[in-house]
Amino acid sequence: MADERKPAGAPAGSGGRAPLPAAGREELEALGRSGLGNDQLLGLHRQMVRARLLDQRMWQLNRQGLAPFVISAQGHEAAQVGAGAAFVPGHDFFYPYYRDYALALAIGFTPYEILLGLLARAGDPASGARQMPGHFNSRRLHVVSQSSPVGTQIPQAVGTALASKLRGEDAVTYVSFGDGTTAEGDFHEGLNFAAIHRLPVVFFCENNQYAISEPLEKEMAVPRVADRAAAYGMPGASVDGNDVLAVYRAVREAVERARAGGGPTLVEAVTYRTTPHSSDDDDRTYRTREEVEAWKARDPIPRFEALLRAAGLLDEAGLRRVWQEAQAEVDAATDQALAAPEPDPGELTRHLFYEGKPFGPEPSPYGPRLGRAGGA
């Protein structure tokens, strides 16, 4: 796989892409106002690079027939890494949605753990290979496994925030979703209940402007998701989701307000996914190549790299080192995950209501109707 492992997103000078864009004075001033130290700023960049390279590897594995299904985070790195940096893993609670790979890495998942889930290996820490990829779960990191129907994680997150408040704890709950989910009843019910009871939860919408193939203007009559916050009686903020520092500042403010007892906030990060919705759809049927290329020119990673270079925090050698180290980490994780054992079929019913021998030729423990092919 040597050629396929070339870091496709690597910076110019290392066999990668076009020259970095220039950073303006306003962006440099915003970096100074972020309140983040140099190590933290470089850490944000490193997490975005890791996420991009892991994402590219997942697509390679899918196209090789080794991974059945991929949901991509390419283009969402700034939104997810910026949001994750405002929380405390292992203290706060997380209800990510299926596209939150960059967030998962930012709060403590390893590429190896994520690849175990993608490849459905026995050691998958999220579900033991029982869930689809992207259903993150970690007791250690306070990440709660979500159901596949979109939006169902929102009322669950609100329930966790209610528990934190009743217990007198200062944990804040993060819950994310796409713009399409805001048309679901779970969105309304969750925000309404959280606002009434002033619960410590941050609703984070990653508005990539498509609900699978449905464009935003066909989803809602208001221009921004954040416009809906006022109807629930909570603050709303719409930020550039390709600007990692803008996202961090907005989410940090929301977290601080929630931790101080100020209740929930709806934060909208306006971004774009540069890949199709999933590995199983063809986005050429619903959006033009010109539109996709225009958004690729606004890629959040080179944009942040230009800022770090303008601030004197990163030079060409440092940039190359970050990409190479991240690529080596993803390569090693891939080899390790591919070598991991498959699940034991004998554990098929573990953690289910019925923890017995998997159904087979023998009669079902629930009676003849469930054990007979063809029905009654």
Side-chain angles (χ1 to χ4, degrees):
M1 304 179 60
D3 292 337
E4 295 164 348
R5 291 182 171 187
K6 182 179 180 180
S14 62
R17 58 192 176 200
L20 297 175
R25 178 179 177 182
E26 290 185 3
E27 290 175 297
L28 281 169
E29 290 175 348
L31 185 145
R33 293 196 305 271
S34 71
L36 295 170
N38 293 348
D39 289 344
Q40 292 170 301
L41 291 167
L42 293 172
L44 295 179
H45 171 248
R46 187 164 53 252
Q47 296 296 355
M48 293 166 70
V49 171
R50 291 172 80 219
R52 178 64 57 87
L53 292 177
L54 176 62
D55 203 294
Q56 292 173 348
R57 174 55 44 79
M58 293 194 300
W59 281 86
Q60 289 173 353
L61 293 170
N62 173 264
R63 295 312 191 228
Q64 292 170 339
L66 297 171
F69 186 66
V70 171
I71 292 277
S72 183
Q74 292 184 40
H76 286 234
E77 291 92 347
Q80 296 179 14
V81 171
F87 290 86
V88 181
H91 178 75
D92 296 322
F93 291 91
F94 299 86
Y95 283 80
Y97 85 126
Y98 51 75
R99 204 179 298 283
D100 268 352
Y101 285 99
L103 174 114
L105 289 175
I107 64 173
F109 278 87
T110 66
Y112 172 61
E113 290 174 325
I114 290 175
L115 288 171
L116 285 177
L118 179 76
L119 298 170
R121 302 299 183 178
D124 165 30
S127 70
R130 288 165 172 77
Q131 284 265 44
M132 292 177 68
H135 289 65
F136 308 100
N137 180 30
S138 170
R139 184 183 296 270
R140 171 177 58 92
L141 298 171
H142 284 195
V143 177
V144 185
S145 183
Q146 62 273 196
S147 300
S148 292
V150 295
T152 52
Q153 74 273 24
I154 296 176
Q156 295 165 358
V158 170
T160 296
L162 174 63
S164 295
K165 182 174 182 177
L166 293 175
R167 292 172 177 169
E169 300 169 346
D170 71 348
V172 178
T173 297
Y174 162 100
V175 58
S176 61
F177 41 86
D179 43 287
T181 296
T182 65
E184 298 289 338
D186 297 88
F187 173 79
H188 166 75
E189 294 163 11
L191 269 68
N192 193 52
F193 190 92
I196 291 171
H197 298 281
R198 297 178 65 81
L199 300 182
V201 55
V202 177
F203 299 97
F204 188 65
C205 177
E206 297 175 35
N207 176 3
N208 62 27
Q209 304 170 60
Y210 284 93
I212 303 183
S213 60
E214 192 81 349
L216 189 67
E217 62 270 21
K218 299 292 185 184
E219 300 174 43
M220 61 186 74
V222 292
R224 297 296 182 198
V225 171
D227 294 342
R228 294 175 163 177
Y232 299 104
M234 70 174 68
S238 182
V239 297
D240 182 348
N242 283 16
D243 181 344
V244 64
L245 297 182
V247 175
Y248 169 72
R249 287 195 303 272
V251 177
R252 182 186 63 187
E253 182 178 328
V255 170
E256 289 175 347
R257 178 165 43 246
R259 217 181 292 284
T265 302
L266 172 60
V267 178
E268 172 192 21
V270 180
T271 185
Y272 195 83
R273 54 172 163 79
T274 56
T275 61
H277 167 69
S278 77
S279 55
D280 286 14
D281 80 293
D282 183 356
D283 64 331
R284 292 172 298 181
T285 61
Y286 58 84
R287 61 183 186 179
T288 67
R289 295 306 88 190
E290 291 77 13
E291 178 184 304
V292 175
E293 291 305 315
W295 274 95
K296 283 184 176 179
R298 300 167 63 179
D299 191 318
I301 298 180
R303 176 177 173 175
F304 191 44
E305 289 173 345
L307 181 58
L308 294 175
R309 293 187 67 161
L313 298 179
L314 203 58
D315 58 16
E316 182 66 27
L319 198 56
R320 187 178 300 110
R321 183 167 57 251
V322 170
W323 283 88
Q324 290 174 343
E325 289 177 354
Q327 189 66 64
E329 181 185 15
V330 170
D331 287 348
T334 303
D335 292 339
Q336 191 178 1
L338 286 171
E342 303 277 355
D344 179 359
E347 296 183 355
L348 180 64
T349 62
R350 190 180 178 194
H351 303 310
L352 300 181
F353 178 76
Y354 168 71
E355 287 200 357
K357 188 175 181 181
F359 296 166
E362 299 83 0
S364 163
Y366 297 110
R369 289 173 63 88
L370 288 176
R372 185 171 60 219

